[in-house]
PDB file of all heavy atoms in Angstrom:
ATOM      1  N   GLY N 105       0.556 -16.493  15.643  1.00 90.00           N
ATOM      2  CA  GLY N 105       0.219 -15.028  15.418  1.00 90.00           C
ATOM      3  C   GLY N 105       0.261 -14.751  13.867  1.00 90.00           C
ATOM      4  O   GLY N 105      -0.671 -14.026  13.363  1.00 90.00           O
ATOM      5  N   ARG N 106       1.136 -15.307  13.078  1.00 88.00           N
ATOM      6  CA  ARG N 106       1.235 -15.049  11.657  1.00 88.00           C
ATOM      7  C   ARG N 106       0.020 -15.705  11.031  1.00 88.00           C
ATOM      8  O   ARG N 106      -0.612 -15.078  10.170  1.00 88.00           O
ATOM      9  CB  ARG N 106       2.369 -15.561  10.990  1.00 88.00           C
ATOM     10  CG  ARG N 106       3.760 -15.154  11.513  1.00 88.00           C
ATOM     11  CD  ARG N 106       3.947 -13.669  11.461  1.00 88.00           C
ATOM     12  NE  ARG N 106       3.877 -12.997  10.276  1.00 88.00           N
ATOM     13  CZ  ARG N 106       4.833 -12.779   9.325  1.00 88.00           C
ATOM     14  NH1 ARG N 106       6.032 -13.242   9.555  1.00 88.00           N
ATOM     15  NH2 ARG N 106       4.666 -12.036   8.336  1.00 88.00           N
ATOM     16  N   LEU N 107      -0.356 -16.890  11.302  1.00 90.00           N
ATOM     17  CA  LEU N 107      -1.552 -17.590  10.769  1.00 90.00           C
ATOM     18  C   LEU N 107      -2.728 -16.782  11.100  1.00 90.00           C
ATOM     19  O   LEU N 107      -3.574 -16.581  10.144  1.00 90.00           O
ATOM     20  CB  LEU N 107      -1.581 -19.038  11.295  1.00 90.00           C
ATOM     21  CG  LEU N 107      -0.531 -20.068  10.986  1.00 90.00           C
ATOM     22  CD1 LEU N 107      -0.784 -21.369  11.598  1.00 90.00           C
ATOM     23  CD2 LEU N 107      -0.281 -20.175   9.515  1.00 90.00           C
ATOM     24  N   LEU N 108      -2.852 -16.442  12.295  1.00 91.00           N
ATOM     25  CA  LEU N 108      -4.061 -15.600  12.712  1.00 91.00           C
ATOM     26  C   LEU N 108      -4.175 -14.314  12.030  1.00 91.00           C
ATOM     27  O   LEU N 108      -5.261 -13.806  11.563  1.00 91.00           O
ATOM     28  CB  LEU N 108      -4.246 -15.447  14.255  1.00 91.00           C
ATOM     29  CG  LEU N 108      -4.426 -16.721  14.926  1.00 91.00           C
ATOM     30  CD1 LEU N 108      -4.402 -16.443  16.531  1.00 91.00           C
ATOM     31  CD2 LEU N 108      -5.837 -17.280  14.561  1.00 91.00           C
ATOM     32  N   GLY N 109      -2.998 -13.621  11.821  1.00 89.00           N
ATOM     33  CA  GLY N 109      -2.852 -12.303  11.113  1.00 89.00           C
ATOM     34  C   GLY N 109      -3.336 -12.445   9.711  1.00 89.00           C
ATOM     35  O   GLY N 109      -4.193 -11.655   9.216  1.00 89.00           O
ATOM     36  N   GLY N 110      -2.980 -13.494   9.092  1.00 87.00           N
ATOM     37  CA  GLY N 110      -3.378 -13.746   7.659  1.00 87.00           C
ATOM     38  C   GLY N 110      -4.864 -14.065   7.670  1.00 87.00           C
ATOM     39  O   GLY N 110      -5.567 -13.440   6.746  1.00 87.00           O
ATOM     40  N   ALA N 111      -5.363 -14.759   8.592  1.00 90.00           N
ATOM     41  CA  ALA N 111      -6.740 -15.082   8.686  1.00 90.00           C
ATOM     42  C   ALA N 111      -7.628 -13.785   8.902  1.00 90.00           C
ATOM     43  O   ALA N 111      -8.620 -13.573   8.164  1.00 90.00           O
ATOM     44  CB  ALA N 111      -7.167 -16.047   9.700  1.00 90.00           C
ATOM     45  N   ALA N 112      -7.080 -12.899   9.800  1.00 90.00           N
ATOM     46  CA  ALA N 112      -7.798 -11.681  10.092  1.00 90.00           C
ATOM     47  C   ALA N 112      -7.906 -10.866   8.797  1.00 90.00           C
ATOM     48  O   ALA N 112      -8.886 -10.141   8.550  1.00 90.00           O
ATOM     49  CB  ALA N 112      -7.183 -10.957  11.255  1.00 90.00           C
ATOM     50  N   ARG N 113      -6.826 -10.810   8.018  1.00 88.00           N
ATOM     51  CA  ARG N 113      -6.831  -9.946   6.780  1.00 88.00           C
ATOM     52  C   ARG N 113      -7.956 -10.352   5.948  1.00 88.00           C
ATOM     53  O   ARG N 113      -8.651  -9.618   5.336  1.00 88.00           O
ATOM     54  CB  ARG N 113      -5.555 -10.136   6.063  1.00 88.00           C
ATOM     55  CG  ARG N 113      -4.416  -9.443   6.685  1.00 88.00           C
ATOM     56  CD  ARG N 113      -3.147  -9.783   5.860  1.00 88.00           C
ATOM     57  NE  ARG N 113      -2.029  -9.008   6.408  1.00 88.00           N
ATOM     58  CZ  ARG N 113      -0.946  -8.769   5.595  1.00 88.00           C
ATOM     59  NH1 ARG N 113      -0.844  -9.210   4.372  1.00 88.00           N
ATOM     60  NH2 ARG N 113       0.068  -8.071   6.154  1.00 88.00           N
ATOM     61  N   GLY N 114      -8.122 -11.802   5.833  1.00 87.00           N
ATOM     62  CA  GLY N 114      -9.169 -12.412   5.026  1.00 87.00           C
ATOM     63  C   GLY N 114     -10.491 -11.857   5.369  1.00 87.00           C
ATOM     64  O   GLY N 114     -11.370 -11.469   4.590  1.00 87.00           O
ATOM     65  N   LEU N 115     -10.773 -11.896   6.722  1.00 90.00           N
ATOM     66  CA  LEU N 115     -12.050 -11.559   7.301  1.00 90.00           C
ATOM     67  C   LEU N 115     -12.361 -10.025   7.098  1.00 90.00           C
ATOM     68  O   LEU N 115     -13.427  -9.637   6.708  1.00 90.00           O
ATOM     69  CB  LEU N 115     -12.122 -11.899   8.755  1.00 90.00           C
ATOM     70  CG  LEU N 115     -12.168 -13.381   9.061  1.00 90.00           C
ATOM     71  CD1 LEU N 115     -11.991 -13.709  10.502  1.00 90.00           C
ATOM     72  CD2 LEU N 115     -13.370 -14.065   8.441  1.00 90.00           C
ATOM     73  N   VAL N 116     -11.273  -9.212   7.311  1.00 87.00           N
ATOM     74  CA  VAL N 116     -11.535  -7.791   7.163  1.00 87.00           C
ATOM     75  C   VAL N 116     -11.859  -7.550   5.635  1.00 87.00           C
ATOM     76  O   VAL N 116     -12.785  -6.777   5.352  1.00 87.00           O
ATOM     77  CB  VAL N 116     -10.240  -6.977   7.538  1.00 87.00           C
ATOM     78  CG1 VAL N 116     -10.330  -5.511   7.153  1.00 87.00           C
ATOM     79  CG2 VAL N 116      -9.917  -7.169   8.992  1.00 87.00           C
ATOM     80  N   TYR N 117     -11.127  -8.077   4.768  1.00 85.00           N
ATOM     81  CA  TYR N 117     -11.285  -7.882   3.376  1.00 85.00           C
ATOM     82  C   TYR N 117     -12.683  -8.280   2.837  1.00 85.00           C
ATOM     83  O   TYR N 117     -13.292  -7.716   1.975  1.00 85.00           O
ATOM     84  CB  TYR N 117     -10.223  -8.612   2.668  1.00 85.00           C
ATOM     85  CG  TYR N 117     -10.229  -8.293   1.135  1.00 85.00           C
ATOM     86  CD1 TYR N 117      -9.591  -7.201   0.502  1.00 85.00           C
ATOM     87  CD2 TYR N 117     -10.748  -9.225   0.240  1.00 85.00           C
ATOM     88  CE1 TYR N 117      -9.651  -6.962  -0.761  1.00 85.00           C
ATOM     89  CE2 TYR N 117     -10.751  -9.065  -1.081  1.00 85.00           C
ATOM     90  CZ  TYR N 117     -10.079  -7.942  -1.609  1.00 85.00           C
ATOM     91  OH  TYR N 117     -10.057  -7.744  -2.984  1.00 85.00           O
ATOM     92  N   GLN N 118     -13.077  -9.459   3.447  1.00 88.00           N
ATOM     93  CA  GLN N 118     -14.375 -10.072   2.944  1.00 88.00           C
ATOM     94  C   GLN N 118     -15.553  -9.288   3.379  1.00 88.00           C
ATOM     95  O   GLN N 118     -16.639  -9.458   2.701  1.00 88.00           O
ATOM     96  CB  GLN N 118     -14.402 -11.544   3.334  1.00 88.00           C
ATOM     97  CG  GLN N 118     -15.439 -12.432   2.605  1.00 88.00           C
ATOM     98  CD  GLN N 118     -15.892 -13.552   3.317  1.00 88.00           C
ATOM     99  OE1 GLN N 118     -16.051 -13.530   4.603  1.00 88.00           O
ATOM    100  NE2 GLN N 118     -16.119 -14.613   2.667  1.00 88.00           N
ATOM    101  N   PHE N 119     -15.475  -8.570   4.460  1.00 88.00           N
ATOM    102  CA  PHE N 119     -16.657  -7.881   4.990  1.00 88.00           C
ATOM    103  C   PHE N 119     -17.574  -7.131   3.992  1.00 88.00           C
ATOM    104  O   PHE N 119     -18.737  -7.410   3.911  1.00 88.00           O
ATOM    105  CB  PHE N 119     -16.312  -6.871   6.103  1.00 88.00           C
ATOM    106  CG  PHE N 119     -17.446  -6.192   6.786  1.00 88.00           C
ATOM    107  CD1 PHE N 119     -18.235  -6.871   7.674  1.00 88.00           C
ATOM    108  CD2 PHE N 119     -17.768  -4.902   6.452  1.00 88.00           C
ATOM    109  CE1 PHE N 119     -19.356  -6.257   8.190  1.00 88.00           C
ATOM    110  CE2 PHE N 119     -18.844  -4.328   6.951  1.00 88.00           C
ATOM    111  CZ  PHE N 119     -19.710  -4.998   7.888  1.00 88.00           C
ATOM    112  N   GLY N 120     -16.944  -6.316   3.156  1.00 85.00           N
ATOM    113  CA  GLY N 120     -17.749  -5.564   2.141  1.00 85.00           C
ATOM    114  C   GLY N 120     -18.334  -6.548   1.243  1.00 85.00           C
ATOM    115  O   GLY N 120     -19.449  -6.251   0.737  1.00 85.00           O
ATOM    116  N   PHE N 121     -17.679  -7.595   0.774  1.00 88.00           N
ATOM    117  CA  PHE N 121     -18.347  -8.548  -0.086  1.00 88.00           C
ATOM    118  C   PHE N 121     -19.509  -9.319   0.461  1.00 88.00           C
ATOM    119  O   PHE N 121     -20.377  -9.757  -0.210  1.00 88.00           O
ATOM    120  CB  PHE N 121     -17.212  -9.520  -0.618  1.00 88.00           C
ATOM    121  CG  PHE N 121     -16.169  -8.851  -1.517  1.00 88.00           C
ATOM    122  CD1 PHE N 121     -15.011  -8.337  -0.973  1.00 88.00           C
ATOM    123  CD2 PHE N 121     -16.429  -8.605  -2.787  1.00 88.00           C
ATOM    124  CE1 PHE N 121     -14.115  -7.668  -1.695  1.00 88.00           C
ATOM    125  CE2 PHE N 121     -15.578  -8.040  -3.619  1.00 88.00           C
ATOM    126  CZ  PHE N 121     -14.356  -7.498  -3.143  1.00 88.00           C
ATOM    127  N   LEU N 122     -19.495  -9.423   1.843  1.00 92.00           N
ATOM    128  CA  LEU N 122     -20.705 -10.134   2.446  1.00 92.00           C
ATOM    129  C   LEU N 122     -21.870  -9.192   2.284  1.00 92.00           C
ATOM    130  O   LEU N 122     -22.917  -9.727   2.080  1.00 92.00           O
ATOM    131  CB  LEU N 122     -20.294 -10.408   3.965  1.00 92.00           C
ATOM    132  CG  LEU N 122     -19.308 -11.534   4.196  1.00 92.00           C
ATOM    133  CD1 LEU N 122     -19.046 -11.597   5.699  1.00 92.00           C
ATOM    134  CD2 LEU N 122     -19.725 -12.879   3.759  1.00 92.00           C
ATOM    135  N   VAL N 123     -21.544  -7.889   2.479  1.00 91.00           N
ATOM    136  CA  VAL N 123     -22.753  -6.979   2.296  1.00 91.00           C
ATOM    137  C   VAL N 123     -23.227  -6.982   0.942  1.00 91.00           C
ATOM    138  O   VAL N 123     -24.492  -7.069   0.648  1.00 91.00           O
ATOM    139  CB  VAL N 123     -22.167  -5.560   2.672  1.00 91.00           C
ATOM    140  CG1 VAL N 123     -23.330  -4.551   2.377  1.00 91.00           C
ATOM    141  CG2 VAL N 123     -21.848  -5.494   4.098  1.00 91.00           C
ATOM    142  N   PHE N 124     -22.262  -7.065  -0.041  1.00 88.00           N
ATOM    143  CA  PHE N 124     -22.592  -7.084  -1.517  1.00 88.00           C
ATOM    144  C   PHE N 124     -23.436  -8.332  -1.714  1.00 88.00           C
ATOM    145  O   PHE N 124     -24.414  -8.247  -2.465  1.00 88.00           O
ATOM    146  CB  PHE N 124     -21.256  -7.058  -2.181  1.00 88.00           C
ATOM    147  CG  PHE N 124     -21.405  -6.653  -3.606  1.00 88.00           C
ATOM    148  CD1 PHE N 124     -21.812  -5.465  -4.029  1.00 88.00           C
ATOM    149  CD2 PHE N 124     -21.146  -7.586  -4.672  1.00 88.00           C
ATOM    150  CE1 PHE N 124     -21.937  -5.030  -5.229  1.00 88.00           C
ATOM    151  CE2 PHE N 124     -21.271  -7.205  -5.998  1.00 88.00           C
ATOM    152  CZ  PHE N 124     -21.626  -5.926  -6.372  1.00 88.00           C
ATOM    153  N   ALA N 125     -23.011  -9.444  -1.214  1.00 92.00           N
ATOM    154  CA  ALA N 125     -23.600 -10.774  -1.463  1.00 92.00           C
ATOM    155  C   ALA N 125     -25.111 -10.665  -0.858  1.00 92.00           C
ATOM    156  O   ALA N 125     -26.001 -11.150  -1.464  1.00 92.00           O
ATOM    157  CB  ALA N 125     -22.959 -11.841  -0.831  1.00 92.00           C
TER     158      ALA N 125
END
Side-chain angles (χ1 to χ4, degrees):
Chain N
R106 302 306 301 273
L107 297 179
L108 290 178
R113 286 179 177 199
L115 291 174
V116 169
Y117 183 85
Q118 198 203 32
F119 178 75
F121 290 93
L122 288 175
V123 175
F124 198 65

